[in-house]
Amino acid sequence: MVNAQSQESSSRSQGLSYTDQALLHEIGRSASAQRIEQDIQTLVSFGTRHTLSETESETRGIGAARRWIKEEFEKISADCGGCLEVFFQSRVISGERRIPNATEVVSVIAIQKGMSDPSRYVLMSGDIDSRVSDVMDATSDSPGANDNASGVAGTLEAARLLSRHKFHGSIVYAALSGEEQGLFGGQILAEYAQEKNWRLKAVLNNDMIGNIEGINGVINNTTARIFAEGTRQTETADEARLRRFTGGEVDSPSRNLARYIDLMADRYIENLDTMVIYRLDRFRRGGHHRPFNDLGYPGVRIMETNEHYQRQHQDLRTENGIKYGDTIDGVNFDYAAKLTALNAVSLAGMANAPTPPAEVSIAGAVQPSTTLSWAAADPEQNPQLMGYKIYWRLTDAPQWQFSKYVGNVTTATLENVVIDNYFFGVASVSKDGFESPVVYPGAAGAFGE
């Protein structure tokens, strides 16, 4: 007994290890607050970007806004020798509470294909549309500077940064429409990903990444929130029954994606601490990652910590000395650049890493040791693969605490680390040290094949 405890303590004392990446430091320092400010100013200049607003004008409304976004993606692509596939994605929506009449909901998509594993995707998104107090008011000025020109500007800037480099996996940059009217742009893209058999491993939805002054009086530019759902929406009754005995409620792929981004903030973004929130979104509210979660894809919402509700979904006005409205003077561009950089390093890290392990399983009941197994990655898709790393943590710990590199194998045993006392997972590791998110065993934690 003493010997077993000693060995377990020795295993725990390893802590976490990782390979510092110069590329990610470079990307993390490169987001431009000035370019983000210019892009937000342009988006605000269209007056309103309401989903039901003007589409023919060149200077006002959702049509002008989405055409400008597409032109910006095309400029970025031209600068990298045509490395982006840029296109409009649309569907006519009607008969909905917030879209009663037939309306074409149009998003702008740019795809940077991976070198060796182009069918594996990670995705960053922001929302084009804006609104005022009446969600059906498509004509009043609705600047939407923070909600959500900041997210679109961040997505454009991430494309500028990452298109300078090549990655093994593919990266999608999405400016989604129809969010305020019912998350339609995300639904359309999520269904497209499913139809095209995308191996979509991560959705980073950026919705309001520019405000540092909260309605609660707090002013803070050093924190951000990552919202991540627990049990995945697509879980079957049999999977739920097994999860009751094996755990996994806090280890969905979305939660382990959030843990990955949290570690990226610690390692590569100066003066930023992220808070992983164990909810799909803000209390009884929603965002454009949800349609992806609905289909089982890992997805999170990245946003500011302190919201200012007088600057959200408000008619432009002053009442009792209080200014209402989502205007550009409420956006902190340096902060928006910081959260953009967090997205960029996370996307780059995942796209350069091998695919997350598939078919991860675990064994060790009534045994002194724990064994994990997984499927071998396709060597043609993952020529950068070096091997795998096992992670574990105490069951009440929010972040992974211990890790051990086990080599290019498909099964490994942690001697005298008792399965009952920890949660476990496996990550893929590249030859230069890039790692995938950690995959919890079984259906509860699977990132897909």
Side-chain angles (χ1 to χ4, degrees):
M1 177 66 71
V2 173
N3 184 50
Q5 289 177 338
S6 176
Q7 289 189 48
E8 184 164 341
S9 296
S10 176
S11 295
R12 292 202 308 265
S13 69
Q14 295 176 94
L16 292 181
S17 62
Y18 76 100
T19 302
D20 195 57
Q21 299 293 342
L23 173 63
L24 299 188
H25 282 294
E26 176 192 337
I27 292 171
R29 292 189 298 263
S30 299
S32 168
Q34 181 180 9
R35 286 193 297 259
I36 288 172
E37 178 179 4
Q38 291 169 348
D39 288 346
I40 294 175
Q41 286 176 333
T42 300
L43 288 163
V44 166
S45 74
F46 295 114
T48 178
R49 304 186 306 280
H50 192 283
T51 300
L52 308 182
S53 66
E54 171 67 48
T55 60
E56 299 299 324
S57 170
E58 292 301 318
T59 58
R60 184 175 179 86
I62 188 71
R66 67 201 184 205
R67 288 190 292 273
W68 175 80
I69 294 167
K70 184 170 183 284
E71 289 170 1
E72 286 303 300
F73 276 132
E74 289 170 341
K75 290 177 184 176
I76 295 168
S77 184
D79 288 341
C80 63
C83 73
L84 300 181
E85 176 190 355
V86 182
F87 58 95
F88 285 131
Q89 182 176 70
S90 67
R91 181 184 298 172
V92 175
I93 304 293
S94 64
E96 300 287 343
R97 183 167 62 90
R98 293 186 176 185
I99 307 183
N101 301 317
T103 301
E104 188 178 26
V105 174
V106 183
S107 299
V108 189
I109 313 299
I111 301 176
Q112 181 177 346
K113 282 297 185 113
M115 297 182 296
S116 64
D117 196 4
S119 68
R120 171 167 59 96
Y121 294 85
V122 292
L123 183 153
M124 178 181 179
S125 68
D127 308 316
I128 304 174
D129 55 325
S130 62
R131 58 164 287 191
V132 290
S133 301
D134 179 0
V135 72
M136 299 303 291
D137 181 349
T139 57
S140 296
D141 280 351
S142 177
N146 188 46
D147 185 14
N148 186 29
S150 65
V152 173
T155 302
L156 286 167
E157 181 66 2
R160 293 187 189 102
L161 299 180
L162 299 183
S163 61
R164 301 170 185 169
H165 307 280
K166 295 185 182 298
F167 301 96
H168 286 279
S170 297
I171 303 174
V172 181
Y173 312 97
L176 300 174
S177 194
E179 193 264 356
E180 301 289 4
Q181 307 308 113
L183 308 178
F184 289 105
Q187 177 185 336
I188 295 165
L189 181 55
E191 292 173 358
Y192 178 87
Q194 189 177 61
E195 292 165 5
K196 296 294 184 180
N197 295 313
W198 283 9
R199 292 163 42 238
L200 183 56
K201 305 301 182 182
V203 175
L204 279 56
N205 171 40
N206 288 257
D207 196 344
M208 296 188 290
I209 62 170
N211 179 69
I212 64 170
E213 182 180 350
I215 192 71
N216 55 2
V218 173
I219 299 176
N220 186 312
N221 66 354
T222 65
T223 65
R225 294 181 289 180
I226 308 171
F227 287 87
E229 71 167 356
T231 305
R232 66 197 316 161
Q233 177 71 12
T234 54
E235 182 180 65
T236 68
D238 286 342
E239 289 168 350
R241 191 176 302 110
L242 178 63
R243 178 175 50 78
R244 184 182 181 194
F245 295 95
T246 61
E249 295 84 359
V250 294
D251 276 279
S252 66
S254 294
R255 294 250 167 106
N256 277 318
L257 171 60
R259 290 185 180 102
Y260 183 93
I261 298 168
D262 178 59
L263 287 176
M264 286 292 185
D266 292 342
R267 293 167 180 171
Y268 298 108
I269 307 301
E270 185 176 351
N271 203 23
L272 180 66
D273 182 41
T274 56
M275 174 172 31
V276 176
I277 298 183
Y278 287 180
R279 283 198 182 104
L280 171 64
D281 209 307
R282 286 99 21 99
F283 192 75
R284 301 189 71 176
R285 301 173 75 184
H288 246 147
H289 56 302
R290 194 183 84 194
F292 295 92
N293 290 157
D294 287 345
L295 297 184
Y297 295 119
V300 298
R301 177 186 184 133
I302 298 173
M303 69 175 302
E304 63 211 24
T305 301
N306 299 290
E307 295 182 65
H308 201 306
Y309 307 124
Q310 292 164 355
R311 299 173 183 170
Q312 295 177 17
H313 302 176
Q314 296 286 346
D315 291 338
L316 299 178
R317 68 194 192 279
T318 300
E319 291 181 356
N320 301 318
I322 298 173
K323 181 181 177 181
Y324 292 84
D326 187 2
T327 52
I328 198 164
D329 56 334
V331 179
N332 184 288
F333 307 110
D334 289 327
Y335 180 72
K338 187 183 296 188
L339 268 59
T340 296
L342 174 62
N343 280 266
V345 298
S346 300
L347 294 168
M350 289 185 285
N352 250 356
T355 189
E359 301 177 30
V360 179
S361 63
I362 191 168
V366 298
Q367 297 177 32
S369 302
T370 300
T371 298
L372 289 105
S373 303
W374 52 91
D378 185 327
E380 291 188 6
Q381 292 177 331
N382 300 274
Q384 79 279 36
L385 176 69
M386 179 175 70
Y388 299 89
K389 185 185 287 188
I390 293 178
Y391 282 83
W392 66 104
R393 70 181 196 275
L394 294 168
T395 61
D396 62 350
Q399 185 56 274
W400 296 105
Q401 296 173 296
F402 319 111
S403 65
K404 181 180 180 181
Y405 178 72
V406 295
N408 192 3
V409 297
T410 56
T411 187
T413 298
L414 296 175
E415 298 292 345
N416 295 309
V417 179
V418 177
I419 195 172
D420 299 323
N421 298 344
Y422 303 93
F423 287 146
F424 300 84
V426 185
S428 303
V429 184
S430 75
K431 295 169 185 174
D432 45 6
F434 287 93
E435 295 189 26
S436 74
V438 178
V439 180
Y440 185 85
F447 276 70
E449 304 312 311

